[in-house]
Amino acid sequence: MNQAAAAEARHAAFVTNRGAMVSAAVGGLCFLGFMLAADQLTRAGWLLPQMEALWQPHAIAAQAASQLLPELLLVLLRLIPGTGPATLLLVTLVTASIGMAILHWRMRGRGWSLLGATLAVVAVAANPVTLILATSGSTLLITAALVWMVAVSFDRAARVGDAQSLISIGLALAGLVLTTPAALYICVPLLVVLPVGLREARDLPSAIALFLLTIFPTLVAIAGIAVAASTLGEPASAALQRWVAPMHGVEALVNTPWHAAVGGQLSDSFFQLLLWCLMAVPLGIMPFVHALIGRGREESLAVAFLVLFTAPLAGALATAQWHMQEPIWAMAVALAFAMAWLGARVLAGWERLLVLALLVGGAFMAWQPDWMWGEQLTSQWWSALSGYPLPPPPSGAELLPVTTANPPYTPRLPR
Amino acid sequence: MGLTTSADDEGALAQLMLRGRIDASALAKARDNATNWNTTIGEALVAEGTISPRDWALATAASTGLPLADLIAEPPDAALLDAADRDAYLSLGVLPWKRAANGALLLAAQRPAAPDVLAWAMRRYPHERLGWAVTAKFDVLWALQKRFDVLADQEARESLHIATPELSAKQVITTPQAVVGWAIGMLLLLALFLAPTTTLITLSAAITVFYLLSFGFRFLLTWKGAHHSVDVSVTDEEVAALKPEDLPVYTVLVPMYREAEVLPILVHSMRRMDYPLAKLDVKLVLEQDDNETIEAAKALKAEGVFEIIRVPTSYPKTKPKACNYALRFARGEYIVVFDAEDIPEPDQLKKAVAMFKRSPQSVGCIQARLNYFNRRENFLTRMFTLEYSNWFDYLLPGLHALKIPIPLGGTSNHFRTAVLKELGAWDPYNVTEDADLGVRMTQQGYQVAVMNSTTFEEANGVWRSWINQRSRWIKGYMQTWLVHMRHPIKLYRNLGGAGFWGFHFFIGFPVLTALLNPVLWLTTAIGLIFGQNIVSPYFPEPIIWFALFNLVVGNAMYVYMTMVAAAKRGWFSLMPWALLAPIYWVMHSVAAYKALYQLIVKPHFWEKTQHGTSKVTQSTIADIRQQAAQ
C-alpha cells in the first residue's frame, strides 16, 4: 500500500468513527458564545445600525452589481415574511457557528480526539478575527467562506489533482469576485502559485491549461455582470466600471488609519499585515513545519506558501492601490486559509499539540493591544464590546459605518 | 492446476507431430498454456493459431479411429436436430449427425470422449444405440446456423416484441401516447388563439426553467463524475490477483457491415488482449450479403478463437438484430460488444471480470469508457473527443453515483450473458439499442456499473457522416424515451424519483433541447437585430433574469464543462477547442431535426456509420500489416 493509499485508509477509519451530533453540539456552543458577543454589541448600539445599513435595498438595482452574491442572498432573505436586520444578524451567527461545527467535524475525520478538536475549535471561535467575522454584520463572512472553499479546493488539487477540485477552485473564485471585486487581489497570488502547485501541471502547456480552467468561471462571472447590467439599458463598459467602482476613489472618500499609515505602499503594508497575521493566526506557519519536518514530507510547498502569504500579499497589493481600507479583510483571508488546511490534514500527535498551542497562542496574541485594534472597524467593535468609549476619528477622516470590506459607492449612471 | 491431457489428446498430439503440423517447441508452449489457462491442449493449440480446429479434429479422428464428420460437406440430418437442444449443441460441441446403416445414432462431437459430452448423450438419447464421430468447432457452428437460421433470425427480430411488446420500439408511438400528444398540441393552439401573450409568456417561463434545470442536472453529473473516487473502479492489484486458470470464457461480439478494411485492427486488438486466448470466443458478426467483409475475414486466416457468424438478410437490418442473432451462439459466461475499429485497453476483459466477481449479481452490465484515437485530425474529431470525454469520464460515472439509469454507449458494454438473455437482449427496432437496454436493465432491477478502462475508437470526422450518425443516435433516444414513457407511473415505480427524473433529463430533455435551440437562437437574433422591444414582452421579470442566466452563465458553463472534459485525460491541447462548442451545438440541432423527420418516415432505418475514413485508422492498418509481414 503506498503512502497516499495508507493516508486514505487512515482517513476513512477516522471518518467512520466521527459523530455529526457532537460536532453540531460544538457548533451550538460556539453559537452561544457568538450570541453573547452580539448581544453586547447590540446593547452598545453599534451592531444594529450596521445590520440596518446592510439590510436596506439599493435605491438603484444595478448598484448591487459589485456584490451580486451578497445581494442575491439578501434578496432571498427579504422574501421571507417577517424578516429584518435582526434576521441578518441571526443568519450571520448561525453561519459562523456552522463553520465551527464543520471545522470540528473535519478535524474529527482526520484523527483529532474529541477533546483536542473541541479545544481547537473553541480557540478558533475565541479568536477576535472569528468573533469580528461572526458579529460585525459585514459580508466579510461570505468572503471568508469562499476563500475557505478556494483553499480547500486548491489543497485537494495539489494533493489529489482531480477535476472536481479544479472546478471548485474556479467556482469559488467566481463566487469571490461576485462578492467583492477586491477578491481580484486574492486571485493574483493564488493564480501565480496555481500552476506550480497543481498536481496535474506537468509542463508549461498543462500549467497554462489548468490555469485557464480555474479562472474561466471567474471570467464568466465578470461577463455575467456585464450582460446582466447591460440588460438594464447600460453599456457593458459602464457595468464593469460599476463593478470595480468600490475600488476606485477610496482615498478621496475615506482616510482610514490604515491608509494613513501604509496606503500606497506595498512592502510596508505587506510586513505589517504579515506580522498581524502571525499574531492572530500563527497556525499559518504550520504547513511549512508539516512539510519540512513533520508528517507531510510530500506536501506541496505551494500550499504552505498560500496559507502563510496569500492574505498579507493580497492585502498589501490592495493597499498599494488604496483599495483596502480595513486590514481585518486580510486577517479573515488568513484565517480561512489556515482553517482550510487544518481541516484537511492528518497530523501526528506532536503536530496536533503544536497546532493547539498555536491556536490558543493566536487567540491570546490577537487580544493584545499591539494587534490592529487601532484600525477603524476593530476599534469600533472593541469599544462596543468592551464598553470603553469610541476613540476619536483620525484628523480629517470621515468615519463611515462599515458594511462591507469596501465603502458604499454611488455610481454615475450614463445619461 | 491445469487439466492433464487425456489419452485421446496425447494420441492426437502424436498424430500432429507425425504429420509435421507441430514441432516440439510448439507442443511445449501449448502444454504450458493449457496448464496455465486450465483448458485442453487442443484448445490451446487452436487458440494460438498453431493448428486449425479442423486439424485438431482430423488428428483426434486418426488417433481414436473414429470417423471424421465433415458437417459442411455432409450436413446433419435435419430431422435429428432439435431446436430446444441448440444451447447444449453449442456449449458441448456435439450434435446428432445421422443414422448409421445399423440404425445407431451417430453423434458428431468435438470431444467425443469427454465425460460431460457422454453424460449429456446418455441423458438425451437413453434408448438409442449411439455411435461417435469427430468434428470441428466451426463445423458445429456452420451446421447449426444452416439448420436454424430462419428460426434464429425470427427470434433475433421478434422475440422481445412478442414477449414484451410494450418494451419494443417496433411500434413507434402507442395510441394513448398519440392521443396525449394530440391533446397537448390542440390545447396549445387554442391557448395561443385565445390568449397569445399569456401563452407565450408561460411558454418562455417553462422553457427557461427547463433549460435551467437541464443545466443544473448536467453540472451536477459533471461535478459528481469529476471526483477522484469515481476514477478508480478496478485497481491494478485486483487485475493482478486474477488467476488465468480461473478466468471464464469471454464472448466478444463484433458486428460489422461493409467494414472489411478495419478488420485487421480488430484482430490485432484481440491478439493483444491480456486474456487467455483459448478462453476468448470472438464472433465476427457479418451480414450474409456482405461478401466483401466475409471474404476479408476468411482471408485473415485468424486463430481458431475467431468465428464468423453470418446473419441472414432480413428487416430490420440493424446492429442489434445482428447481435441478437449472434448471442444464440455465444459460449461465454460474460459477453462484450466491440466495433470493428475498436482498440480496447488490453486489460479491459480482466477488469470486467474482476468487477463482476466483486459486484452483486444485480450488476448485470459494466460499461467501459469510450474515447477516440484520431482526436487531433480535424475540428469534428476534436469536438467529438471532448464530448465523449465529458460523457464517459464524467456524466456516466455521475449517473452511476446518483443511481440513475445509464444509457449504454455504442460499444464496450460487458454483460453477464445469462442476464442479457433473460432480459430479451437488444431491441432490434431501436436504433440506439444500447441506451434502451441500459434503461430496461434498470427497470428490471439490474444495475449498470462503469469501469476505468477505455476503448479507443475512430471519431467520425466527416461532416455528412457525422450528421447521419448523430441523427441515428438522437432518433434512438427519441425511440427510447417513447418506449419507456408508455407507462410513466410504472417507470417511476421501477426507477424511483431520482432515476425517473434522471431518465428525462439525460435521455429525453437533451433531444428536446437540440430541437428548441434554433428557436431560441432565432428569438435572440430577432431581439438583437430589431430591438429588444419585440421579444421583451414575452420575457417579463423575473423570467428575463433566469433567461439571461441561461444565455450567459448556462452556455458558458456548458463550454466550461467541455473544457474540463479534457482535463482528466490530460489532453490539454484540446481545451481551447471547447470554445467552439456552440458550432457543435448547431450541428446537433441539424441532426435532431433530421432525426425527428426520420422518426416519422423511417423509424427503424439504420444510418450506417462509415469507419476506416480516418488517416490515423489507415496508418494503424498499415502498421499492423507491416508487423504481420515481418
Side-chain angles (χ1 to χ4, degrees):
Chain A
M1 191 185 280
N2 60 28
Q3 202 175 351
E8 195 77 23
R10 267 201 314 272
H11 172 51
F14 297 141
V15 166
T16 313
N17 294 328
R18 70 179 164 190
M21 289 311 291
V22 179
S23 297
V26 172
L29 187 71
C30 294
F31 177 77
L32 284 176
F34 294 153
M35 204 173 64
L36 285 174
D39 183 56
Q40 176 57 32
L41 291 166
T42 309
R43 283 169 194 271
W46 181 79
L47 190 52
L48 269 183
Q50 309 286 327
M51 293 294 175
E52 279 161 4
L54 198 61
W55 183 259
Q56 292 306 316
H58 287 278
I60 303 163
Q63 206 170 321
S66 63
Q67 32 184 300
L68 278 176
L69 196 60
E71 273 301 316
L72 180 67
L73 295 175
L74 278 170
V75 166
L76 293 175
L77 268 183
R78 286 188 202 116
L79 287 176
I80 303 170
T83 51
T87 317
L88 193 55
L89 175 61
L90 185 68
V91 169
T92 317
L93 295 176
V94 169
T95 308
S97 308
I98 290 173
M100 293 298 105
I102 290 173
L103 177 64
H104 186 268
W105 191 67
R106 285 175 67 87
M107 288 172 77
R108 290 282 289 140
R110 278 146 189 88
W112 282 76
S113 67
L114 179 60
L115 180 66
T118 308
L119 286 175
V121 169
V122 168
V124 174
N127 193 301
V129 180
T130 312
L131 275 172
I132 292 171
L133 285 178
T135 60
S136 67
S138 80
T139 54
L140 263 179
L141 191 60
I142 302 176
T143 306
L146 288 165
V147 168
W148 178 84
M149 273 179 64
V150 170
V152 167
S153 310
F154 185 91
D155 183 52
R156 213 177 81 203
R159 286 186 299 126
V160 181
D162 63 357
Q164 197 183 71
S165 51
L166 297 176
I167 298 173
S168 43
I169 295 176
L171 292 180
L173 284 178
L176 263 179
V177 299
L178 290 178
T179 301
T180 166
L184 287 177
Y185 290 108
I186 301 173
C187 295
V188 174
L190 194 72
L191 295 180
V192 168
V193 175
L194 195 75
V196 186
L198 293 185
R199 187 187 171 93
E200 295 301 312
R202 295 181 294 267
D203 48 23
L204 187 63
S206 64
I208 292 171
L210 292 170
F211 182 82
L212 291 174
L213 204 61
T214 46
I215 61 163
F216 191 81
T218 308
L219 300 177
V220 172
I222 295 171
I225 290 168
V227 174
S230 64
T231 310
L232 292 171
E234 292 180 83
S237 57
L240 290 174
Q241 279 171 8
R242 174 177 300 106
W243 174 62
V244 293
M247 301 199 304
H248 291 292
V250 170
E251 69 275 26
L253 285 168
V254 189
N255 184 15
T256 61
W258 173 250
H259 273 170
V262 289
Q265 298 171 48
L266 183 66
S267 59
D268 285 2
S269 56
F270 172 75
F271 287 115
Q272 181 64 71
L273 286 171
L274 183 62
L275 179 67
W276 281 342
C277 280
L278 285 173
M279 281 179 77
V281 196
L283 183 67
I285 61 164
M286 195 57 208
F288 278 109
V289 175
H290 184 63
L292 298 174
I293 56 173
R295 205 174 207 174
R297 295 289 166 84
E298 291 181 4
E299 173 148 306
S300 161
L301 284 175
V303 172
F305 174 87
L306 278 180
V307 172
L308 186 59
F309 293 116
T310 302
L313 256 179
L317 286 167
T319 306
Q321 298 298 315
W322 300 88
H323 292 164
M324 187 183 79
Q325 50 175 332
E326 280 293 343
I328 187 67
W329 181 80
M331 298 302 117
V333 172
L335 185 75
F337 265 104
M339 293 308 109
W341 182 87
L342 179 59
R345 285 295 178 288
V346 176
L347 302 172
W350 67 268
E351 288 177 311
R352 278 186 224 142
L353 283 174
L354 183 57
V355 164
L356 209 49
L358 288 171
L359 288 174
V360 173
F364 177 76
M365 293 292 286
W367 284 109
Q368 301 306 307
D370 295 338
W371 198 56
M372 46 185 241
W373 293 111
E375 298 303 317
Q376 180 174 307
L377 173 72
T378 45
S379 62
Q380 289 176 357
W381 185 85
W382 167 259
S383 301
L385 188 72
S386 63
Y388 294 124
L390 285 170
S395 173
E398 181 194 350
L399 283 182
L400 299 171
V402 179
T403 55
T404 68
N406 305 294
Y409 175 77
T410 306
R412 283 170 301 186
L413 286 173
R415 292 170 191 273
Chain B
M1 183 65 189
L3 289 178
T4 50
T5 50
S6 67
D8 289 345
D9 284 351
E10 289 299 339
L13 290 171
Q15 286 291 331
L16 289 169
M17 295 281 277
L18 272 174
R19 293 171 192 197
R21 297 308 306 264
I22 56 170
D23 56 22
S25 66
L27 179 61
K29 188 180 177 192
R31 283 190 196 282
D32 281 349
N33 283 340
T35 306
N36 291 334
W37 297 344
N38 194 16
T39 61
T40 66
I41 197 161
E43 287 168 332
L45 281 166
V46 169
E48 283 286 334
T50 314
I51 58 169
S52 70
R54 177 60 70 93
D55 289 334
W56 181 252
L58 274 168
T60 307
S63 72
T64 56
L66 293 172
L68 179 77
D70 183 342
L71 302 180
I72 297 168
E74 190 182 350
D77 182 347
L80 295 174
L81 292 171
D82 187 343
D85 286 337
R86 281 179 293 169
D87 287 343
Y89 297 158
L90 273 167
S91 60
L92 297 170
V94 60
L95 48 75
W97 182 24
K98 61 182 179 182
R99 292 232 173 250
N102 61 2
L105 177 64
L106 271 184
L107 296 176
Q110 289 167 233
R111 301 172 292 121
D116 52 346
V117 175
L118 289 173
W120 175 81
M122 299 302 288
R123 203 169 52 247
R124 178 65 184 82
Y125 305 105
H127 307 300
E128 295 272 10
R129 278 177 60 203
L130 297 177
W132 292 90
V134 183
T135 192
K137 180 172 77 166
F138 291 159
D139 286 41
V140 174
L141 196 65
W142 172 271
L144 290 175
Q145 278 198 76
K146 197 85 178 160
R147 170 65 186 86
F148 296 112
D149 65 339
V150 174
L151 175 63
D153 178 51
Q154 194 187 9
E155 287 170 344
R157 282 186 290 115
E158 303 298 340
S159 59
L160 180 72
H161 181 248
I162 290 167
T164 47
E166 73 275 11
L167 290 176
S168 163
K170 186 173 183 178
Q171 186 183 5
V172 177
I173 189 164
T174 59
T175 309
Q177 285 178 321
V179 169
V180 171
W182 179 84
I184 290 172
M186 287 301 108
L187 276 176
L188 192 61
L189 282 177
L190 190 67
L192 277 171
F193 179 73
L194 294 174
T197 306
T198 311
T199 308
L200 285 173
I201 288 173
T202 310
L203 272 179
S204 70
I207 290 171
T208 302
V209 171
F210 156 73
Y211 268 73
L212 192 65
L213 291 175
S214 290
F215 158 68
F217 178 70
R218 195 55 75 101
F219 184 77
L220 176 67
L221 290 183
T222 303
W223 174 261
K224 291 291 286 184
H227 195 268
H228 72 98
S229 61
V230 304
D231 286 343
V232 181
S233 41
V234 183
T235 62
D236 291 342
E237 287 80 10
E238 282 180 273
V239 172
L242 291 172
K243 293 176 181 168
E245 65 265 30
D246 295 335
L247 291 171
V249 173
Y250 217 116
T251 296
V252 179
L253 294 187
V254 191
M256 287 188 277
Y257 188 56
R258 293 185 180 155
E259 291 176 279
E261 65 279 8
V262 291
L263 256 174
I265 296 183
L266 169 88
V267 175
H268 181 69
S269 299
M270 289 300 108
R271 282 176 182 153
R272 57 193 277 277
M273 271 289 174
D274 177 19
Y275 206 84
L277 269 174
K279 290 183 171 177
L280 284 179
D281 171 32
V282 185
K283 312 273 193 221
L284 307 178
V285 187
L286 311 176
E287 296 286 336
Q288 209 162 40
D289 60 1
D290 183 12
N291 290 324
E292 185 196 355
T293 313
I294 292 174
E295 291 309 315
K298 283 181 182 170
L300 279 173
K301 295 194 184 307
E303 296 85 339
V305 294
F306 293 89
E307 294 174 8
I308 296 174
I309 303 286
R310 294 170 177 79
V311 183
T313 304
S314 61
Y315 181 84
K317 202 170 187 175
T318 59
K319 175 178 156 186
K321 187 202 74 178
C323 287
N324 282 350
Y325 184 86
L327 179 63
R328 170 61 67 185
F329 303 97
R331 288 191 298 271
E333 184 180 337
Y334 303 118
I335 190 167
V336 61
V337 182
F338 286 131
D339 276 349
E341 88 288 6
D342 281 359
I343 304 178
E345 286 178 340
D347 61 355
Q348 188 170 117
L349 299 184
K350 278 190 172 178
K351 277 190 171 173
V353 171
M355 201 165 174
F356 272 126
K357 283 190 183 298
R358 71 147 194 248
S359 304
Q361 282 296 312
S362 59
V363 173
C365 176
I366 297 171
Q367 169 73 60
R369 293 174 181 173
L370 303 182
N371 222 301
Y372 294 120
F373 53 70
N374 60 329
R375 56 186 172 275
R376 290 184 185 153
E377 201 158 349
N378 59 33
F379 167 78
L380 268 183
T381 61
R382 287 186 172 95
M383 296 311 296
F384 219 155
T385 304
L386 284 170
E387 184 189 14
Y388 252 41
S389 299
N390 183 234
W391 188 271
F392 286 98
D393 294 353
Y394 293 82
L395 302 184
L396 294 196
L399 288 175
H400 183 233
L402 295 172
K403 301 191 189 310
I404 291 170
I406 294 179
L408 302 176
T411 80
S412 307
N413 337 114
H414 300 254
F415 299 94
R416 294 186 199 272
T417 309
V419 171
L420 185 60
K421 286 181 175 173
E422 178 199 323
L423 289 167
W426 297 272
D427 180 357
Y429 291 97
N430 191 314
V431 293
T432 49
E433 74 291 348
D434 323 80
D436 168 70
L437 184 56
V439 181
R440 189 146 38 95
M441 288 186 93
T442 316
Q443 279 225 62
Q444 303 285 329
Y446 288 103
Q447 292 166 289
V448 177
V450 286
M451 72 172 164
N452 55 332
S453 177
T454 304
T455 298
F456 290 92
E457 300 188 294
E458 180 195 75
N460 197 333
V462 182
W463 291 76
R464 192 183 175 82
S465 178
W466 187 94
I467 294 283
N468 288 344
Q469 184 187 46
R470 189 52 59 113
S471 70
R472 173 167 65 77
W473 291 357
I474 295 176
K475 182 173 71 175
Y477 269 46
M478 290 173 176
Q479 287 180 315
T480 303
W481 189 84
L482 285 169
V483 163
H484 293 280
M485 277 300 283
R486 284 172 183 168
H487 302 288
I489 297 170
K490 188 177 166 193
L491 182 72
Y492 185 88
R493 282 183 185 147
N494 286 341
L495 300 182
F500 181 80
W501 289 110
F503 167 76
H504 289 300
F505 276 109
F506 204 71
I507 291 176
F509 289 178
V511 174
L512 189 59
T513 310
L515 290 170
L516 279 176
N517 276 343
V519 179
L520 298 181
W521 293 331
L522 192 66
T523 311
T524 310
I526 288 171
L528 288 173
I529 296 166
F530 300 107
Q532 296 293 338
N533 291 341
I534 297 178
V535 292
S536 57
Y538 309 111
F539 289 88
E541 286 190 31
I543 299 171
I544 185 65
W545 294 110
F546 289 107
L548 278 171
F549 179 84
N550 286 337
L551 180 72
V552 180
V553 180
N555 282 324
M557 289 308 282
Y558 271 121
V559 169
Y560 180 62
M561 286 185 265
T562 312
M563 284 172 82
V564 170
K568 206 179 255 189
R569 290 178 184 269
W571 293 341
F572 299 114
S573 63
L574 285 179
M575 276 187 189
W577 291 85
L579 297 171
L580 300 177
I583 299 171
Y584 200 57
W585 302 340
V586 174
M587 293 176 64
H588 270 96
S589 290
V590 173
Y593 277 96
K594 183 176 179 185
L596 184 63
Y597 171 74
Q598 277 203 357
L599 184 75
I600 297 164
V601 298
K602 289 192 283 187
H604 308 128
F605 175 66
W606 187 276
E607 285 275 13
K608 174 83 182 84
T609 307
Q610 191 58 45
H611 294 300
T613 54
S614 159
K615 284 176 190 162
V616 179
T617 311
Q618 299 298 338
S619 151
T620 308
I621 293 169
D623 287 347
I624 292 169
R625 288 205 166 118
Q626 196 176 358
Q627 281 174 28
Q630 284 169 0

